[in-house]
Amino acid sequence: MLYHSLTNRNNLSSFEHTVLSGLSSDGDLYVPQSIPRLNPSFFEQITSYDIHHIAREVIIPYIGNSIPDDRIEEIIKNTIQFDFPIKNIHDNIYALELFHGPTLAFKDIGAKFMSECLSYFYEKIGKKFTVLVATSGDTGGAVAKGFNNKSGIEVIILYPHNGISPLQEKQIASLNSSNVFALEIFGNFDDCQKMVKKAFSDKQIKKKYTLTSANSINTARLLPQMFYYFSAYKNIKEMYGGKKIIFSVPSGNFGNICAGMIAERMGLPIHGFVASTNINDTIPRFMKSGIYHPINVKKTISNAMDIANPSNFPRIWNFLYKKNMFSLKKKLSSFRFTDYNTLSMIKKVWKNHKYMLDPHGAVGYLGATKYLYKDPKTPYLSVFLETAHPVKFLDKIPFSLRKEVFFPKKIKKFLKSIGEVKKNAIKNNFNEFKNWLLDRSI
Ligand SMILES: *Cc1c(COP(=O)(O)O)cnc(C)c1O
């Protein structure tokens, strides 16, 4: 499989090249040349396969000659070390829990998969990589954990001062790691992202470092996110036979939902998707009016989705749906919800069903119910992605419910084991960042 950029079909790259460069040389997203269709018998027999087998079938066509098959098998085993359980909340509404990984968010899957691919490329090329990444919270933790102590790779994570939760900061900045470094920036997430972008085009920095980015547009993060859509389908087929499935995905950069839509193109029987957003609602507005008009980001309690210009959406609109609103609307609905909606729903679902949603999952739940209530007699089964564990966003959970939030053993152990958060802060100033990079020894 080769990849081309969204704007130039003739600019072809291998999987390896897309992972190492992030964006194409014309500064655009990479997309696969074509989407392979899986054999219908694969779906008929899916309940007899384990998740590692399923993941192999799904991902191998995308990797081509970049990584040998037996190594891919190992990468998958190292990536999928936990379950993606489905829980019935009530009626035909289900949660797909994606928070059972090491940092309790779905980003563990993509980050670990990418770190494993980079390890292989390092062994092959023998050149040390530096991964530069900006985080609004969950990416940083997942990348720090996924890359921790990987030889030949160092990771520098930029995070905004006062922009991430205390637990998220601990997950990034108290690791005592030999190869993961956290830098607090006195600015917001966009400022961090701008600094990273600028570093990629700076000659002096590039002379010293071989830079790679680990943000959610990277193909090695995007594609493995298909695994849990397949796993969900398998589990539902086992439990309920061939019911039609709607996935509601709490969306920010639209990478998670884009992976689901690619899975559907591979033949996975998914009836439709709901892109659920907070009040940063560029896509719900676009789907209503046909006008793409991002406005300034607003802060919400589902802060991992505080994004105005979703970086993966062009993959859906330009590549998967060829800018055809009619066919897009047949597969995708998109709704926006306020913080008030979100908090009320966290309380209501706890009161009625004793299930604790995190703010992102709550937005997903709202989308799932809204879709079904359009048609109360619907034969569909609606699955929302619970993208993080509520303990990660304890400070956003209604005060009266905080004592009810379950602390997973992993977190208790982690909190006991860590030392102080080591602050390494710089001003929101590119030259300061640049000097920091140029002065340090590698
Ligand atoms: C990153 C994140 C999202 C948004 O996912 P996208 O792929 O950017 O749409 C949703 N929920 C949580 C908890 C996240 O960390």
Side-chain angles (χ1 to χ4, degrees):
M1 169 77 68
L2 292 175
Y3 295 76
H4 59 73
S5 83
L6 266 182
T7 40
N8 183 355
R9 296 189 129 264
N10 301 320
N11 193 353
L12 294 175
S13 296
S14 65
F15 175 74
E16 175 173 346
H17 186 81
T18 68
V19 176
L20 296 181
S21 57
L23 287 174
S24 71
S25 53
D26 40 21
D28 213 340
L29 296 163
Y30 283 113
V31 290
Q33 252 189 322
S34 62
I35 295 182
R37 295 271 311 173
L38 291 165
N39 200 312
S41 67
F42 172 77
F43 296 104
E44 278 155 31
Q45 286 158 25
I46 197 166
T47 52
S48 61
Y49 302 137
D50 67 21
I51 181 66
H52 293 138
H53 177 97
I54 295 171
R56 235 171 21 239
E57 294 285 316
V58 169
I59 206 81
I60 278 178
Y62 291 96
I63 295 185
N65 299 327
S66 290
I67 304 175
D69 286 1
D70 55 345
R71 185 62 182 258
I72 297 174
E73 198 160 330
E74 198 185 312
I75 291 176
I76 287 170
K77 284 216 175 99
N78 293 339
T79 303
I80 309 179
Q81 299 221 354
F82 48 90
D83 291 334
F84 313 121
I86 296 240
K87 301 254 165 86
N88 180 229
I89 308 302
H90 60 88
D91 302 312
N92 41 2
I93 309 254
Y94 294 76
L96 170 58
E97 294 184 345
L98 301 178
F99 55 68
H100 295 278
T103 72
L104 311 181
F106 80 90
K107 293 192 174 77
D108 279 326
I109 287 290
K112 181 72 178 167
F113 189 87
M114 181 176 175
S115 78
E116 292 280 325
C117 292
L118 281 185
S119 278
Y120 173 74
F121 298 145
Y122 168 69
E123 287 165 30
K124 205 166 81 172
I125 305 169
K127 204 164 54 172
K128 185 168 178 169
F129 300 117
T130 301
V131 176
L132 264 192
V133 64
T135 183
S136 60
D138 289 330
T139 294
V143 167
K145 183 79 188 174
F147 285 76
N148 195 17
N149 297 326
K150 281 245 176 267
S151 56
I153 305 171
E154 61 164 11
V155 180
I156 298 169
I157 301 168
L158 277 64
Y159 68 96
H161 175 68
N162 282 339
I164 67 177
S165 82
L167 179 61
Q168 288 174 327
E169 186 176 32
K170 287 192 182 115
Q171 285 181 327
I172 300 171
S174 64
L175 277 178
N176 266 333
S177 170
S178 59
N179 68 325
V180 178
F181 308 94
L183 259 190
E184 182 182 28
I185 307 294
F186 285 96
N188 59 28
F189 171 63
D190 281 331
D191 299 324
C192 297
Q193 214 160 11
K194 269 184 220 148
M195 282 206 196
V196 168
K197 269 208 174 141
K198 220 165 160 181
F200 273 84
S201 53
D202 187 282
K203 281 206 186 92
Q204 279 170 295
I205 296 174
K206 283 207 304 203
K207 200 169 152 206
K208 176 168 172 184
Y209 294 95
T210 307
L211 292 181
T212 306
S213 159
N215 56 23
S216 75
I217 53 158
N218 197 294
T219 48
R221 281 192 54 194
L222 176 73
L223 296 170
Q225 295 177 155
M226 288 193 284
F227 297 161
Y228 38 77
Y229 290 92
F230 283 86
S231 155
Y233 174 76
K234 174 193 159 173
N235 289 337
I236 285 166
K237 189 168 173 179
E238 248 161 15
M239 293 186 286
Y240 310 101
K243 279 228 175 187
K244 288 183 172 166
I245 308 174
I246 307 284
F247 280 104
S248 169
V249 187
S251 295
N253 259 329
F254 281 64
N256 207 4
I257 195 166
C258 179
M261 295 179 107
I262 298 175
E264 192 261 338
R265 280 294 168 89
M266 292 181 79
L268 186 65
I270 299 176
H271 189 74
F273 292 90
V274 181
S276 304
T277 75
N278 59 31
I279 54 170
N280 295 289
D281 59 352
T282 305
I283 302 308
R285 282 187 288 111
F286 171 63
M287 293 198 56
K288 240 190 213 147
S289 67
I291 298 166
Y292 190 86
H293 181 59
I295 46 180
N296 282 347
V297 175
K298 298 180 210 80
K299 271 195 182 240
T300 75
I301 56 167
S302 45
N303 58 314
M305 314 191 315
D306 291 352
I307 289 163
N309 198 0
S311 51
N312 278 289
F313 189 70
R315 284 188 163 125
I316 297 174
W317 175 241
N318 304 45
F319 168 63
L320 292 176
Y321 286 89
K322 312 276 182 251
K323 303 189 186 179
N324 182 327
M325 188 60 96
F326 181 74
S327 54
L328 179 65
K329 277 187 174 168
K330 277 204 279 194
K331 263 296 169 214
L332 180 73
S333 307
S334 190
F335 307 124
R336 58 95 84 165
F337 302 97
T338 63
D339 277 358
Y340 179 78
N341 301 144
T342 309
L343 284 170
S344 315
M345 204 43 102
I346 293 175
K347 287 186 202 156
K348 190 170 156 195
V349 170
W350 176 256
K351 183 163 170 263
N352 295 342
H353 310 291
K354 286 288 170 287
Y355 190 85
M356 188 66 73
L357 294 163
D358 97 290
H360 307 80
V363 170
Y365 174 92
L366 282 159
T369 45
K370 181 159 179 168
Y371 186 93
L372 292 190
Y373 295 155
K374 275 203 315 198
D375 174 9
K377 284 201 271 312
T378 163
Y380 307 133
L381 196 148
S382 196
V383 180
F384 67 95
L385 275 53
E386 183 37 293
T387 45
H389 193 287
V391 82
K392 282 196 99 167
F393 299 95
L394 202 55
D395 56 329
K396 307 284 188 329
I397 301 286
F399 192 74
S400 60
L401 294 188
R402 283 184 204 169
K403 60 181 189 306
E404 313 285 359
V405 175
F406 174 74
F407 265 75
K409 263 202 202 115
K410 264 190 282 245
I411 284 291
K412 281 189 194 151
K413 216 171 115 196
F414 171 75
L415 290 175
K416 256 193 210 152
S417 72
I418 51 167
E420 286 290 291
V421 167
K422 282 202 219 86
K423 291 271 188 190
N424 209 344
I426 61 172
K427 285 195 206 112
N428 179 18
N429 174 310
F430 180 72
N431 279 331
E432 198 166 319
F433 177 48
K434 178 171 168 173
N435 289 335
W436 182 85
L437 282 172
L438 295 179
D439 287 345
R440 61 192 285 277
S441 51
I442 51 171

